Amino acid sequence: IRSKSEFVTVASHQLRTPVTGIVWALQTLEGEESLSEAAKQVVSGALESGKNLLDLSENLLVIAKIEEGRFGYEFEEMDIAEFVNSTLSNVVPLARKAGVKIYFDKPERPLPKVTIDAKKLALALRNIVENAVRYNVENGEVVIRADAAESGPFIEVSVKDTGIGIAEKDIDKIFGKFFRADNAVRVQTNGSGLGLYIARNIVRAHGGKIWVESELGRGSVFHFTLPTD
Ligand code: ADP
């Protein structure tokens, strides 16, 4: 093993096989009709933890690739509204479960195309929108917008939520690795603090910027830009 990130890559791969086996077994067990209510709850809790562990190893693999500069971007021209729509469809089930509404406020006029790696950028947008759902309140809302930026040849995407917000002192830390704010840990025990670090790397690799405005207890707005030239 040559480097720290190579170690992380190998370790994450090694973890994936047994954890996949455990998740599969629990999924089978979950469908078992003879289980008592109490047992069902235990199984579904274990299943959730197993899935979180898979997500974590996936995130570690992505970060090792990013940090070694071998994340392998493949860019293509795309319509931003189509991109946002298809990414959001993957978050809708989570939002429904959480009792949070998601709206995409579509641009009024057609926007210039962006050149993106849709798969990777979808990972970034999904992390941001999933956070907007997970750190929201019951009956809360998430509104996504895409529009021409106020200055320069950029499109700006924003994700606004009505959730717990971020304390002033934490704003500069949330895009770092493994950081989770106290108020977030209180409402969501699950999380690795890696999603926004990955999102920031992906947005920057596209030549864009990412930032957040937030008010504690009121909500947050995450913004990122993508160049159109
Ligand atoms: P995770 O969600 O796994 O903790 P992330 O890297 O996605 O990791 O986010 C880092 C931290 O930023 C979160 O733990 C939380 O403290 C804060 N955060 C991110 N999105 C939001 C949001 N929409 N509202 C409030 N806090 C947020």
Side-chain angles (χ1 to χ4, degrees), residues 127-128 131-132 134-135 161 164-166 174 176 179-181 183-184 190-197 220 222:
N127 281 337
I128 295 168
N131 283 345
R134 292 164 61 236
Y135 301 119
D161 69 57
I164 61 172
I166 302 159
I174 60 165
F179 178 80
R180 304 196 70 213
N183 65 330
N190 294 322
S192 57
L194 297 175
L196 289 179
Y197 175 78
S220 313
F222 281 81

